[in-house]
Amino acid sequence: MKVIIAEKPSVAREIARVVRATNKKNGYIEGGGYAVTWALGHLITAAMPEVYGIKGFHKENLPILPPVFTLIPHQIKEGKGYKADAAAVAQLKVIEKLFRACEGIIVATDAGREGELIFRFIYEYLGIAKPFDRLWISSLTDKAIKEGLAHLQNGAAYDNLYYAARARSEADWLVGINATQAISIAAGRGTYSLGRVQTPTLCMVCSRFLEHKKFEPQPFWQLSLTVKEGDESFRFSSADRWFDKTEATALYDKLKQAPYATVETIVRKEARQEPPLLYDLTTLQKEANSRFGYSAEQTLSLAQRLYEKAYITYPRTGSRHIPEDVFAEIPALIAFLYDHSVWGLHARRLTEFNAHSVDGKKVTDHHALLITGKKPIDVFGEEAVIYDMIAGRMLEAFSAHCVKDVSTVTAICEGVKFILKGEIIKEEGWRAVLKNSRKKDKEQQEAEERESRENGEGIIIPQWEEGKQLPLCACSLAQGTTKPKPLHTESSLLAAMENPCQREQTRTCSGMPSTAGFRGTQTAGKELEDEELRAQLKDCGIGTPATRAAIIETLFAREYMVRQKKSLVPTEKGLAVYSIVREMKIGNAEMTGQWEADLAKIERGELKEQEFRKGIESYATQITDELLSSKILFPKKQSDIHCPKCGKGTLVFYPRCAKCSDADCGLTLFRSVAGKNLTDEQLTQLAVNGETGIIKGFTSKAGKSFEASLSLDGEFKTVFVFPERKKPGKSRR
C-alpha cells in the first residue's frame, strides 16, 4: 500500500475519490491500494526560544542564533504560554503509523514552497527514511490528478525548493524573534512585534500616511481655449499649469484679445493595445480590492475554496503566463463558457486566440489562473464574483488587441502651448469583454470618465495641417488644487509589496519642483502599466503571492493599522513603531526584496542555503544592535503624582495609558474607555481622588452616547459611576 499525503482534508477527499479510496478511517481514507491522509497545514514548526533554555526577554540573550533549529508539533496559546495542539499531535501519530507501514510515499501537499515545507518538516520530525515521489499538479480536476499520478516525480528533484522554504522559515524566525525581543526591551514595557516582511510593509503604510497628512495643497491655474470648425467646437488645454495667479491672469487677458491659435504639430497614429495578461494571485487580489472592496485575505480564501472544488487552477501562483501545452487547451475552456449568463456571448464570438499570455519561460511553479472546465454548480455570492473575474480575464487575455486612431494636436497662442487629444476606437477587441459587465462604484465611474476626457475619447480631429490658423471663439481660466497621493488601499499596498525595488516616479507641474520619493516603496499616479517591466521587477518583491495577504492581516491583528473604508490607516501604535524602525535595516523594503530574490536563487540552485543563512544571521545581529540602542519607543511624561495602588512609584503618562513607575506594581490606567479618550487631567483626577467628575461622550455597545463618572474599585480597576437621576414628583391638582 502507498500513502498519499495532502495538505488539507478537502484536497485529500478529492484525491481519494479519484484513486477509489472509499473506506474512511481515523485520520485517513483507505482503498484502491492507497491510504490518503492529510497534514492540517503546518503540523510541525520551529520551536520558540524557551525550548533552547532562553526564557523571557533579556538583552544579554540577544541575538538568539540556534545552530540547528528544533522542530516541534504545532503549538496553541494557553494563558501566557503555549502547549502542543492536541489535534496536530493526534494526526501526526496517524501519519507516522502510515509512513512506517507503507511501501512508498506520494507527496500531494500544495505544489509550492510552503507545501513542500509542510511535508518535509513532518518527514524530518518523524525521522522517516523512505524515498518519496512528488505529485505536482495545478488543478484538482480528475484529469489533472490522474495525469499527475501517472507522471510522478522523484522527491529529490524538489530538494532546492525545500531548501528555499526552510531558509525562508528560519530567516523569519531569526529576524522576527530577535527584532521583537529587542524593540520590546528598548520600549521598557509591553511586547511589540517586528518581522522580516511585516515591518517594511508597515513602513510603506506609515510613510504614505505621513506624506498625505503633511501635504499642503497649492492652488494652480490652467488656461483653455475653444476653436470652431464648421458646426463643431474643440477645446484645447494649456500644456502647463501656473502657480502664480497674476501671471496666469495676464496671459488670460492676452488670450481674450487674440484672434486665433496656430497649429504647431499634428501626430496621427494607429495604436494597437494588447490585452491584459492573465491573473496571478496578486493581480487578482488587487483588482478584487479595487472593484469590490475584498481584502487580500478574503480573495485568497475564496480562490482557495474554488480550487479545492476543482473549479479553478492553483491560486497561489506568481505567474501571469501559460506554456504552449496549456494554450492548446484554451479553445475547449472558452467553449465551456458558451452558456455562461455573463460571458456566453463573448465566448461564442471568440474564434481566434491571442497568444500574448503564452510564454513558457515566464511560468514559475504554476501557470496563470484559469478556470478548469468543471461546471460550478455550487458557486454563489462572493465565490461567484471571483470565478467570474477569472473567467472574464481569460476572455480578455485571449481576445484580439484593441485598435485605436489616436491624434494629438499642439497649437500656440500668445506664446502658450495648448494640446488637444482625440481617440477613436476602430476595433474594440478585448475591451468589449468587460465594457458592459463590470460593476462600478461612483469613484470608479468618475475616474474612468476623467480618463476618457483626458484621452479625448470619441473626439474626431479635423484634417488640419501644421501652420493652420484656428479662429478662437472662447477662452477660460480655471483654478485647481494640487492633491496628495491617496492613502494606501490593499490594492496599492499589494502593488508596492510586489515591486519595492521600483523607484518612485514623480510628476512636476509648471513652476513646481519635483519632490523626492520616500524610500522607493510606492508608485506614483497610475500603477505601472508596462507588464514586461513589472515582470522584471518581480524577483525583488517582498513576501510572495501566497504570503502577502497574511502579512497584511498580521498588521491588523497587531493593531498597527486599521481600515477606513478602502484606505489603510496606521494606528498610534503603528506610527510609534515606524518612528523607530523607518531608518533601520529592518524597515528597508528594498533590502527585504533582495532576500526574496536570494530565496528564488536557492530554489533555482544558484545559491547555497548556508550562505543565505550566514547573511541572515549577520542581518539579525545588526538589527538587534540597532533596536537595542534606539530611543524609547513611546514618548512619556514623568509626573510627581504618587501611585494610588502602591504609594511608592509615581505615574508616568504615555499616549495610550498612565502607568506606575514601579514595574512590580503594575497599575495601568487606560486612556481609551468606551470610545472616549481621557485627558491627562482626567487621569490625574482618577489617580488622586479615586474618581473623576461627570464625563460626556462615552459610547455603549449598542452605539448610544452616555455620560458618567469614572472610579477606581477595590482592585484599582476603572469602573463607571452613573449620576443619580431625580425621580419624578407626584403631580399636583
Side-chain angles (χ1 to χ4, degrees):
M1 181 182 70
K2 289 188 176 182
V3 173
I4 301 175
I5 179 168
E7 192 165 315
K8 295 180 180 178
S10 57
V11 176
R13 286 192 292 269
E14 287 297 311
I15 295 173
R17 182 179 53 77
V18 171
V19 299
R20 298 185 178 180
T22 57
N23 189 10
K24 295 181 180 179
K25 301 282 188 176
N26 182 25
Y28 66 101
I29 308 171
E30 192 176 47
Y34 294 96
V36 186
T37 188
W38 49 86
L40 296 175
H42 286 273
L43 283 181
I44 302 297
T45 59
M48 298 300 282
E50 288 77 6
V51 172
Y52 305 102
I54 301 171
K55 296 184 178 180
F57 291 11
H58 301 288
K59 186 175 181 179
E60 58 271 19
N61 290 335
L62 300 181
I64 304 169
L65 306 171
V68 178
F69 277 85
T70 300
L71 299 178
I72 60 173
H74 179 255
Q75 304 277 293
I76 57 174
K77 194 168 181 63
E78 184 180 61
K80 293 184 178 181
Y82 291 85
K83 70 172 186 178
D85 182 349
V89 172
Q91 188 62 16
L92 277 169
K93 289 180 180 178
V94 171
I95 294 170
E96 181 174 17
K97 179 182 177 181
L98 292 172
F99 277 5
R100 296 201 184 281
C102 72
E103 299 172 0
I105 300 169
I106 297 174
V107 183
T109 48
D110 284 357
R113 187 191 287 174
E114 290 308 300
E116 193 69 21
L117 186 71
I118 285 170
F119 165 72
R120 297 288 189 117
F121 269 9
I122 294 172
Y123 186 81
E124 184 177 329
Y125 175 78
L126 296 177
I128 305 298
K130 291 182 180 179
F132 55 88
D133 292 321
R134 194 52 161 106
L135 175 69
W136 195 270
I137 54 179
S138 289
S139 77
L140 289 175
T141 61
D142 291 9
K143 178 183 177 183
I145 294 171
K146 288 176 182 178
E147 288 183 354
L149 288 170
H151 299 89
L152 294 172
Q153 301 293 315
N154 187 294
Y158 297 90
D159 284 349
N160 286 337
L161 181 65
Y162 167 53
Y163 299 150
R166 183 170 63 186
R168 192 279 310 156
S169 175
E170 293 180 356
D172 285 349
W173 194 102
L174 289 167
V175 175
I177 293 295
N178 285 294
T180 294
Q181 292 204 12
I183 194 171
S184 299
I185 291 168
R189 290 181 182 272
T191 301
Y192 304 94
S193 171
L194 297 181
R196 183 180 62 90
V197 181
Q198 165 191 323
T199 304
T201 305
L202 173 65
C203 288
M204 293 177 181
V205 175
C206 291
S207 61
R208 175 65 64 89
F209 171 79
L210 291 174
E211 187 191 31
H212 185 94
K213 186 177 180 181
K214 294 175 182 177
F215 182 83
E216 294 183 4
Q218 285 185 275
F220 65 84
W221 289 264
Q222 188 165 19
L223 295 163
S224 64
L225 53 80
T226 304
V227 302
K228 202 161 188 179
E229 181 75 16
D231 295 331
E232 291 189 89
S233 58
F234 299 88
R235 187 182 182 190
F236 287 73
S237 296
S238 60
D240 292 330
R241 295 172 175 177
W242 288 265
F243 291 86
D244 184 334
K245 184 178 181 180
T246 303
E247 182 182 357
T249 303
L251 288 170
Y252 173 59
D253 290 338
K254 287 184 179 180
L255 287 178
K256 288 192 292 184
Q257 306 301 320
Y260 54 80
T262 304
V263 175
E264 183 181 45
T265 62
I266 298 179
V267 177
R268 302 179 191 274
K269 63 180 180 180
E270 182 181 85
R272 297 161 68 88
Q273 192 176 32
E274 289 287 359
L277 296 171
L278 294 162
Y279 283 132
D280 62 359
L281 176 59
T282 300
T283 313
L284 178 68
Q285 288 170 319
K286 287 191 295 185
E287 291 201 14
N289 179 254
S290 297
R291 290 170 56 185
F292 304 106
Y294 293 176
S295 71
E297 181 68 24
Q298 182 181 10
T299 299
L300 174 57
S301 177
L302 293 167
Q304 183 69 23
R305 293 209 297 265
L306 290 170
Y307 167 69
E308 291 175 13
K309 292 179 180 180
Y311 296 141
I312 66 169
T313 57
Y314 188 62
R316 289 174 165 86
T317 175
S319 175
R320 302 190 65 184
H321 293 82
I322 58 172
E324 287 285 350
D325 60 333
V326 176
F327 185 48
E329 301 174 11
I330 294 302
L333 292 178
I334 298 297
F336 173 75
L337 294 171
Y338 283 175
D339 296 328
H340 193 282
S341 59
V342 177
W343 308 127
L345 178 62
H346 297 290
R348 291 190 294 273
R349 286 176 175 174
L350 191 56
T351 55
E352 295 184 8
F353 300 93
N354 192 316
H356 181 54
S357 292
V358 182
D359 190 340
K361 294 179 180 178
K362 294 178 181 177
V363 176
T364 51
D365 293 340
H366 296 278
H367 59 66
L369 272 162
L370 301 170
I371 61 169
T372 61
K374 180 181 178 182
K375 190 172 183 179
I377 55 176
D378 57 347
V379 173
F380 307 99
E382 293 171 343
E383 281 187 13
V385 170
I386 298 300
Y387 181 87
D388 285 350
M389 284 182 69
I390 295 168
R393 175 51 59 91
M394 281 180 56
L395 287 170
E396 284 185 303
F398 298 115
S399 292
H401 44 245
C402 174
V403 182
K404 305 176 182 179
D405 278 337
V406 179
S407 303
T408 304
V409 181
T410 63
I412 301 293
C413 185
E414 296 297 337
V416 179
K417 180 181 288 189
F418 292 85
I419 298 175
L420 171 65
K421 292 183 178 180
E423 180 179 282
I424 301 298
I425 295 178
K426 294 169 62 178
E427 300 173 23
E428 282 190 309
W430 64 271
R431 284 189 171 276
V433 176
L434 292 187
K435 183 177 180 181
N436 299 316
S437 59
R438 186 191 296 271
K439 294 181 180 178
K440 305 170 187 174
D441 58 25
K442 183 178 179 182
E443 186 178 329
Q444 288 174 312
Q445 185 75 35
E446 290 176 352
E448 290 186 13
E449 289 175 358
R450 184 168 56 251
E451 185 176 356
S452 295
R453 288 195 302 270
E454 291 175 355
N455 293 335
E457 192 170 310
I459 297 177
I460 302 175
I461 304 293
Q463 293 299 313
W464 293 327
E465 295 180 354
E466 292 179 5
K468 181 177 177 61
Q469 293 181 334
L470 307 174
L472 301 188
C473 60
C475 63
S476 64
L477 177 63
Q479 181 179 341
T481 306
T482 57
K483 295 181 180 180
K485 293 183 183 70
L487 296 175
H488 267 306
T489 62
E490 287 197 43
S491 177
S492 65
L493 183 59
L494 285 166
M497 294 174 75
E498 188 178 26
N499 296 321
C501 298
Q502 177 190 339
R503 280 291 175 185
E504 180 173 283
Q505 303 298 317
T506 56
R507 296 180 177 181
T508 60
C509 296
S510 176
M512 187 177 186
S514 76
T515 55
F518 46 99
R519 309 191 65 245
T521 58
Q522 285 81 21
T523 57
K526 297 177 184 177
E527 288 185 12
L528 184 66
E529 293 178 353
D530 186 337
E531 300 286 4
E532 301 304 319
L533 180 55
R534 182 182 288 133
Q536 293 169 19
L537 292 168
K538 244 181 183 178
D539 272 352
C540 68
I542 64 172
T544 65
T547 61
R548 287 172 190 142
I551 292 298
I552 292 173
E553 290 301 317
T554 296
L555 294 177
F556 291 124
R558 303 295 188 200
E559 297 182 342
Y560 286 162
M561 69 181 186
V562 294
R563 291 184 181 92
Q564 289 185 3
K565 294 184 178 179
K566 286 186 179 182
S567 298
L568 303 179
V569 178
T571 61
E572 186 179 82
K573 182 179 179 182
L575 289 169
V577 171
Y578 172 69
S579 70
I580 294 297
V581 303
R582 61 184 175 183
E583 299 300 333
M584 295 183 179
K585 291 180 182 293
I586 195 169
N588 190 317
E590 292 182 21
M591 177 173 287
T592 306
Q594 288 304 314
W595 291 129
E596 296 290 351
D598 286 344
L599 290 171
K601 288 181 181 179
I602 296 173
E603 195 171 319
R604 295 192 297 266
E606 299 170 3
L607 179 68
K608 296 292 184 183
E609 182 187 1
Q610 294 81 0
E611 293 179 30
F612 178 81
R613 168 71 183 264
K614 288 179 182 178
I616 284 289
E617 287 184 348
S618 174
Y619 175 75
T621 300
Q622 290 176 35
I623 61 174
T624 299
D625 291 342
E626 282 185 325
L627 289 166
L628 288 173
S629 61
S630 65
K631 297 177 182 178
I632 193 71
L633 181 64
F634 289 118
K636 64 178 183 178
K637 185 169 66 176
Q638 196 80 33
S639 75
D640 55 3
I641 301 167
H642 290 288
C643 173
K645 182 178 180 181
C646 69
K648 298 177 183 178
T650 56
L651 284 190
V652 182
F653 290 88
Y654 294 87
R656 300 182 68 182
C657 62
K659 292 187 176 183
C660 178
S661 60
D662 187 341
D664 295 329
C665 173
L667 175 75
T668 302
L669 305 177
F670 290 100
R671 286 191 187 276
S672 181
V673 180
K676 173 75 175 180
N677 278 330
L678 304 180
T679 65
D680 284 356
E681 183 180 353
Q682 289 165 336
L683 288 174
T684 300
Q685 284 182 352
L686 187 60
V688 174
N689 304 325
E691 186 175 352
T692 69
I694 297 293
I695 300 174
K696 297 181 179 181
F698 294 116
T699 305
S700 69
K701 291 182 179 179
K704 295 182 178 180
S705 180
F706 67 93
E707 60 182 42
S709 299
L710 295 176
S711 177
L712 294 178
D713 66 10
E715 297 180 352
F716 293 92
K717 292 182 179 178
T718 304
V719 295
F720 290 110
V721 178
F722 295 97
E724 293 184 8
R725 299 182 182 275
K726 292 183 179 181
K727 296 181 180 179
K730 294 182 180 179
S731 61
R732 295 182 180 179
R733 292 187 179 177

